[in-house]
Amino acid sequence: MKTTDARTFQEIDARQQKRWQEMNAFRAERLPGKPKFYCLDMFPYPSGDGLHVGHPESYTATDIISRYKRMKGFEVLHPMGWDAFGLPAENYAISTGVHPRVTTEKNCATFKRQIKALGFSYDWEREVTTIDPGYYKWTQWIFLQLFNKGLAYEAEVPINWCPKCKTGLANEEVYQGKCDRCETPIEKKSLKQWMLRITAYADRLLEDLEGIDWPHSTRLMQENWIGRSEGAEVDFELPSIGEKLRIFTTRPDTLYGATYMVLAPEHPFVVKITAPEKKSEVETYVAAAANKSDLERTELAKDKTGVFTGAYAVNPVNGEKIPVWVADYVLITYGTGAIMAVPAHDDRDHEFATKFGLKMIEVLKPPADWKGEGAFCGDGTSINSGVITGLPTPEAKKRIIAWLKEKGIGEPKVNYKLRDWVFARQRYWGEPFPLVHCDKCGVVPVPESELPVRLPEVENYEPTGTGESPLAVIESWVNTKCPKCGGPAKRETNTMPQWAGSCWYYLRYMDPKNDKAFVAGDIEKAWMPVDLYIGGAEHAVLHLLYARFWHKVLFDLGHVSTKEPFRKMVHQGMILSYAYRDSKGAYRNYKELEIAEDGTAKTSDGEIIKPVVEKMSKSKKNVINPDEVLERYGADPFRLYEMFMGPLEDTKPWNIRGIEGVNRFLKRAYAWGLERHSALTDHEVSGQDLILRHQTIEKVGADIEALKFNTAISALMIYLNRLTEQKETARADFETFLALLHPFAPHITDELWEVSGGQGTLMKQAWPAADKAVIASRELEIPVQVNGKIKEKLHVKETTTQDEIKRLALEAAAPHTAGKTIVKTIVVPGRLVSIVIK
RNA sequence: GGGCUUGUGGCGGAACUGGUAGACGCGACGGACUUAAAAUCCGUUGGCCGCAAGGCCGUGUGGGUUCGAGUCCCACCAUGCCCACCA
């Protein structure tokens, strides 16, 4: 190679990115005229730390797919944007006074610069930002559609309150009783909140999971989160107050085993039924339960507590008088807030009954192979249970429900764990609600013509802490006219949660500048659904459930044409890295250490420390900065390494040494291309070389389709190894290699393409076609096993008949079978021959 | 406690619907080039025995099904993630 011709990878990155921009290479047509492919990344929250190496992992994957699909003749929609509302910018504003918009815009610019440096083929004309009034106008508009449909309502509800963030949180934002963002224990606080009736869509959100190509685990998580359970509601008489207590159970077949009842501490009947002599004890218990945070309630879960109210209920199936207790293991938020307790057949009831010495009655016979202890909770056969005695559980359930209904004491009922979505935050940096409160007219939506309701400038970002947002103190903004009656009215001062903007951004990309509609109908029909969506698994139930909900609402209103937004969903695995912790337990920055061959490190004071593979975080000082990798290697090695590390969906450790391999490969490819491009031969290669070309075409294409980028790269390495051995390079091999490598390493391949006289970008060239006939002409090595051990190997054409292979195998194995009886011979076409002897 | 995921060389990882375990790469070792180093190139590289031919062992552990198991079944151990008193 003449080194004078060579450019550094960084020079190549800059040159090719400039060329792509000049030829407007990534622009997607407004309406696709060819088969379409909508390839979507989860848009990032632009944090102040900039990109970390986890972001480009999924972006590289979608970029490979996008470039590949374009080469396969698809019109590809591949956009990027910013999920830019959010707490960090607001918290930063509180401490520094810098407007969140300023911080956010700066962060967006950094993210954009870093993403562009990697050469991803995004159509930047379609960039969207959730904080842009032209965008949140439509977020507000969609909210109004929900409002008008009765899916948004105000309710005074006990909400999860983070005392540090001074805001309400959705259940989904509470992690182990703590605030998802700041880890402060969550308290309960009663506030008037905007709620979205996601529960109205519970069944459809559940059912429609069937039709989409999503990871099994994500579907399961959504199923569990929705938590549908079928059972019955049953009324129990409370003779002391002459009322009925309604309970929910999924096991109505165990009704005869109900020996006591439990009310949640917040249940309205608690006060009514408590016997005078139990009053103070019950009140004390209820007050204590009210003061427990979610965290405490969770931590104390193992040890059940409760008190007897002194009242009794009547079991409707057998007339038994059973005691009514109050205990906080029963939740007011689920079912009816009251249960019948069947200690013989429920673990929790069993534990409670054991602790308080309550009666247990067995009404289920376990299957013969059951050898558990304590309560039997599975399916068995009903015993001592009146009309259902002798029936297996599923049948017993049906029968008893029918019987209860007939007698007027119960009815079938479906319950969900899913709660309505608390859709309001007492914060500044979010979308304002397009609503005003009028004394005369109540809650009135802002007319569509007045959207967006813009976020006003404030001086103080500090939440009021009283449950009102910082917006509440801006009187000039709050005081307005009622759109209905023209009288004085006040604006809603809560803002929408961060999830709002991300619920529909994938729709806006299709038609980002439209100011008449969030997306034009014909454009929506042409592009939807999203064909491939890649993003983190941490959104399995949050964003991905909310977005499906909004999409279904829009579908019902006729605004979108598909009932599900994302046809195929894939989660990229997390990238971990080596963290070094010294003997004092302090994390050391890997850059300040002397790293040995085996990965162990030596500190400046001579201490040897072993690395631990951990999630990247600032506090662990093991964050890999993409800028540094780019500076040292360039964009293509970075992209290639992220894909070569392992399967996209796996968690895998970043090892800076690993990049050396792909860097060498690209350097060899570049050197080979520079050396050969001017002396390509036009005559066709044959034999193994031709077979290898077509095998590689087939393998790389199939692997890209299956998102198995690591093995696609290894096939390309094998191909290049052979090409560099050849004395002459056929034009067809040169072009094939560049085309196949292009989606992975677009800069270097386009550089070689350009240098060799090619026009435009390889991305606009056709993907090479694999010739199956050529592949079929290859020679196979067929191992011959004798009693499971490989003894010989046959070399045959793929077209050789089974009989012939069998004959050859028996012949070859003759020395090993001499004097023995051949019991059977198994020929697996294209694989092996197995001979069993005795 | 429940659900799901994953266990393969020194390391990252390959292995189609049960069919040659360890592709490809890193690292290591040996060699070439060089005054030298870097870079590059060539060779070796799962373990054990053997001069070799070859043999034995080997995919977390213990069983099982099968001509054949990394792959299927049962039990156990370990890992990571999610949910966590939802009646």
Side-chain angles (χ1 to χ4, degrees):
Chain A
M1 173 180 119
K2 287 177 280 174
T3 47
T4 48
D5 292 347
R7 297 190 169 97
T8 67
F9 285 175
Q10 288 80 359
E11 285 165 355
I12 294 172
D13 291 349
R15 288 190 81 238
Q16 295 305 323
Q17 284 170 19
K18 188 159 161 269
R19 285 181 71 234
W20 297 333
Q21 189 152 2
E22 282 163 9
M23 58 179 114
N24 214 347
F26 310 139
R27 187 171 179 278
E29 292 300 323
R30 191 165 167 277
L31 281 172
K34 307 181 261 191
K36 66 94 185 179
F37 194 84
Y38 187 174
C39 189
L40 181 68
D41 285 294
M42 276 186 190
F43 66 166
Y45 172 74
S47 77
D49 302 331
L51 221 59
H52 64 81
V53 294
H55 290 108
E57 185 191 12
S58 59
Y59 303 162
T60 304
T62 53
D63 195 59
I64 291 167
I65 297 281
S66 296
R67 288 176 183 266
Y68 166 77
K69 286 285 181 184
R70 289 187 186 105
M71 294 172 84
K72 290 285 267 188
F74 287 81
E75 187 67 33
V76 173
L77 180 57
H78 188 39
M80 182 45 82
W82 318 106
D83 186 15
F85 279 122
L87 278 179
E90 182 157 350
N91 289 337
Y92 185 73
I94 290 167
S95 57
T96 63
V98 177
H99 196 289
R101 192 193 316 108
V102 175
T103 319
T104 305
E105 278 170 4
K106 190 176 137 241
N107 293 348
C108 285
T110 305
F111 264 65
K112 191 169 177 178
R113 174 187 60 75
Q114 291 186 300
I115 287 175
K116 281 193 139 181
L118 285 156
F120 297 130
S121 60
Y122 295 119
D123 181 354
W124 288 105
E125 286 172 26
R126 293 170 182 270
E127 180 179 357
V128 302
T129 310
T130 54
I131 59 169
D132 176 2
Y135 181 90
Y136 70 66
K137 168 184 175 174
W138 297 106
T139 309
Q140 292 172 341
W141 181 86
I142 296 171
F143 173 80
L144 287 181
Q145 309 312 303
L146 282 122
F147 178 83
N148 292 335
K149 221 191 155 199
L151 291 168
Y153 62 97
E154 258 186 314
E156 179 90 23
V157 281
I159 58 145
N160 303 304
W161 176 259
C162 172
K164 186 161 174 229
C165 300
K166 293 178 183 164
T167 190
L169 300 172
N171 290 341
E172 289 86 332
E173 292 170 297
V174 179
Y175 176 70
Q176 294 185 342
K178 294 178 188 171
C179 174
D180 201 21
R181 297 194 185 276
C182 70
E183 297 188 9
T184 307
I186 293 306
E187 295 170 1
K188 287 286 172 198
K189 182 164 180 148
S190 211
L191 269 184
K192 205 165 189 191
Q193 296 286 311
W194 280 100
M195 308 282 292
L196 294 187
R197 213 178 293 281
I198 190 170
T199 51
Y201 281 74
D203 259 327
R204 284 168 61 195
L205 288 168
L206 189 64
E207 282 163 20
D208 292 344
L209 286 171
E210 287 300 321
I212 48 181
D213 184 5
W214 280 29
H216 175 68
S217 58
T218 304
R219 281 176 46 170
L220 262 172
M221 267 190 243
Q222 292 213 352
E223 277 169 24
N224 293 337
W225 193 265
I226 295 165
R228 184 181 200 273
S229 39
E230 283 182 27
E233 286 192 348
V234 185
D235 290 324
F236 284 60
E237 291 283 351
L238 290 167
S240 65
I241 59 165
E243 287 193 56
K244 285 172 181 166
L245 174 59
R246 178 157 273 228
I247 59 98
F248 172 72
T249 178
T250 55
R251 294 301 298 264
D253 59 304
T254 61
L255 210 43
Y256 284 85
T259 54
Y260 66 101
M261 305 194 75
V262 187
L263 299 178
E266 302 86 352
H267 198 285
F269 276 15
V270 172
V271 179
K272 281 201 213 171
I273 61 166
T274 300
E277 71 275 13
K278 293 283 183 183
K279 199 164 176 258
S280 78
E281 198 186 341
V282 169
E283 276 174 3
T284 310
Y285 182 79
V286 170
N291 280 333
K292 282 187 196 171
S293 68
D294 271 12
L295 182 61
E296 288 169 316
R297 237 164 124 146
T298 313
E299 278 178 348
L300 299 171
K302 291 144 220 156
D303 195 19
K304 291 206 167 28
T305 59
V307 288
F308 177 42
T309 61
Y312 289 86
V314 178
N315 187 337
V317 293
N318 56 13
E320 287 272 325
K321 237 178 106 186
I322 58 176
V324 182
W325 286 64
V326 178
D328 67 2
Y329 81 92
V330 173
L331 309 174
I332 191 67
T333 50
Y334 187 76
T336 63
I339 61 154
M340 65 168 193
V342 185
H345 304 294
D346 181 281
D347 287 329
R348 296 152 304 186
D349 297 346
H350 185 88
E351 192 192 329
F352 190 82
T354 306
K355 180 167 173 183
F356 293 102
L358 296 162
K359 195 171 155 190
M360 303 190 197
I361 303 174
E362 286 189 28
V363 293
L364 264 184
K365 205 175 106 208
D369 59 349
W370 190 72
K371 30 186 188 291
E373 284 169 30
F376 169 70
C377 308
D379 282 7
T381 309
S382 288
I383 51 168
N384 307 322
S385 294
V387 293
I388 56 167
T389 299
L391 293 181
T393 300
E395 225 173 288
K397 282 184 183 171
K398 276 185 214 153
R399 187 75 173 274
I400 192 82
I401 291 172
W403 186 83
L404 290 166
K405 202 171 170 190
E406 195 188 305
K407 301 276 173 190
I409 46 181
E411 57 193 356
K413 172 78 183 176
V414 175
N415 255 312
Y416 300 91
K417 288 186 199 171
L418 186 69
R419 302 272 73 103
D420 275 344
W421 176 11
V422 179
F423 191 70
R425 299 292 181 273
Q426 295 69 49
R427 306 290 300 201
Y428 168 73
W429 193 228
E431 298 89 347
F433 281 90
L435 296 171
V436 301
H437 297 267
C438 170
D439 285 342
K440 251 162 76 187
C441 312
V443 177
V444 181
V446 172
E448 205 177 310
S449 60
E450 288 174 30
L451 297 183
V453 175
R454 284 175 186 263
L455 201 51
E457 297 294 320
V458 298
E459 275 157 29
N460 187 5
Y461 303 96
E462 194 85 42
T464 59
T466 60
E468 283 191 297
S469 106
L471 292 175
V473 299
I474 312 173
E475 293 190 3
S476 60
W477 184 78
V478 173
N479 292 314
T480 184
K481 274 186 196 153
C482 171
K484 216 180 200 172
C485 70
K490 287 186 187 300
R491 288 191 191 279
E492 169 65 47
T493 59
N494 280 325
T495 53
M496 298 185 199
Q498 196 185 352
W499 309 108
S502 60
C503 271
W504 72 283
Y505 73 109
Y506 57 93
L507 294 168
R508 190 60 176 171
Y509 283 137
M510 291 181 279
D511 199 5
K513 296 183 177 77
N514 192 335
D515 59 2
K516 300 284 184 299
F518 71 96
V519 55
D522 56 335
I523 293 178
E524 187 277 334
K525 276 190 193 67
W527 285 112
M528 284 298 282
V530 172
D531 294 283
L532 177 66
Y533 191 19
I534 302 188
E538 68 274 19
H539 295 111
V541 283
L542 304 169
H543 159 63
L544 287 172
L545 192 64
Y546 296 148
R548 291 180 63 221
F549 165 48
W550 277 37
H551 194 88
K552 286 182 184 302
V553 174
L554 292 170
F555 176 76
D556 288 349
L557 292 168
H559 296 301
V560 296
S561 60
T562 63
K563 58 180 185 174
E564 283 289 331
F566 314 122
R567 194 179 59 76
K568 179 171 178 155
M569 174 81 229
V570 172
H571 302 302
Q572 80 277 14
M574 212 187 308
I575 296 182
L576 311 175
S577 88
Y578 291 118
Y580 292 92
R581 206 167 190 175
D582 64 24
S583 54
K584 292 182 190 116
Y587 283 103
R588 298 293 200 97
N589 192 326
Y590 66 95
K591 284 179 218 155
E592 292 157 12
L593 300 169
E594 203 182 302
I595 313 285
E597 303 296 356
D598 59 357
T600 57
K602 202 168 158 188
T603 66
S604 49
D605 11 290
E607 189 189 335
I608 304 288
I609 42 184
K610 277 190 185 161
V612 190
V613 173
E614 290 195 67
K615 195 170 158 177
M616 285 186 206
S617 83
K618 255 201 227 164
S619 62
K620 289 175 183 163
K621 299 184 179 171
N622 63 340
V623 176
I624 309 289
N625 184 340
D627 284 342
E628 288 170 23
V629 181
L630 240 67
E631 212 172 288
R632 187 158 160 203
Y633 295 97
D636 287 346
F638 183 75
R639 294 168 55 116
L640 212 61
Y641 176 57
E642 291 232 341
M643 295 299 102
F644 192 58
M645 266 194 292
L648 181 65
E649 297 177 73
D650 286 9
T651 303
K652 44 210 171 290
W654 178 280
N655 184 345
I656 195 65
R657 276 208 200 84
I659 201 170
E660 293 293 348
V662 292
N663 190 43
R664 266 175 221 160
F665 164 67
L666 289 172
K667 274 158 71 180
R668 286 200 304 132
Y670 181 49
W672 166 83
L674 278 189
E675 182 198 309
R676 304 289 177 97
H677 74 83
S678 54
L680 299 172
T681 61
D682 283 316
H683 76 263
E684 191 51 294
V685 298
S686 60
Q688 289 305 311
D689 289 342
L690 189 64
I691 291 168
L692 178 62
R693 180 199 302 160
H694 288 279
Q695 268 182 330
T696 308
I697 294 170
E698 186 171 75
K699 168 111 181 116
V700 173
D703 280 355
I704 291 176
E705 301 263 3
L707 310 181
K708 289 163 71 176
F709 305 115
N710 52 336
T711 50
I713 294 166
S714 96
L716 287 165
M717 287 171 166
I718 294 168
Y719 189 27
L720 181 69
N721 285 346
R722 177 64 199 138
L723 293 178
T724 53
E725 281 168 15
Q726 293 170 351
K727 293 219 167 56
E728 289 190 321
T729 302
R731 181 171 300 279
D733 276 315
F734 185 81
E735 292 179 357
T736 300
F737 179 76
L738 291 189
L740 297 185
L741 181 59
H742 182 262
F744 301 86
H747 304 87
I748 292 165
T749 48
D750 259 356
E751 173 81 8
L752 287 173
W753 178 243
E754 187 195 359
V755 167
S756 66
Q759 295 297 304
T761 163
L762 281 160
M763 199 185 73
K764 308 260 169 164
Q765 298 296 311
W767 186 257
D771 187 336
K772 300 248 189 234
V774 170
I775 296 169
S777 70
R778 73 189 155 185
E779 194 172 69
L780 297 175
E781 191 184 64
I782 306 283
V784 180
Q785 290 185 348
V786 177
N787 281 359
K789 301 262 182 211
I790 292 159
K791 295 292 181 188
E792 300 294 334
K793 283 173 183 175
L794 302 177
H795 294 270
V796 297
K797 288 267 186 229
E798 192 155 324
T799 48
T800 313
T801 64
Q802 276 200 53
D803 286 346
E804 178 67 4
I805 290 172
K806 186 173 177 178
R807 192 188 62 76
L808 289 168
L810 287 171
E811 192 181 291
H816 307 281
T817 57
K820 301 280 172 63
T821 315
I822 293 175
V823 181
K824 64 172 149 175
T825 307
I826 298 148
V827 180
V828 184
R831 287 287 165 194
L832 56 49
V833 180
S834 182
I835 300 167
V836 187
I837 58 172
K838 229 175 21 191

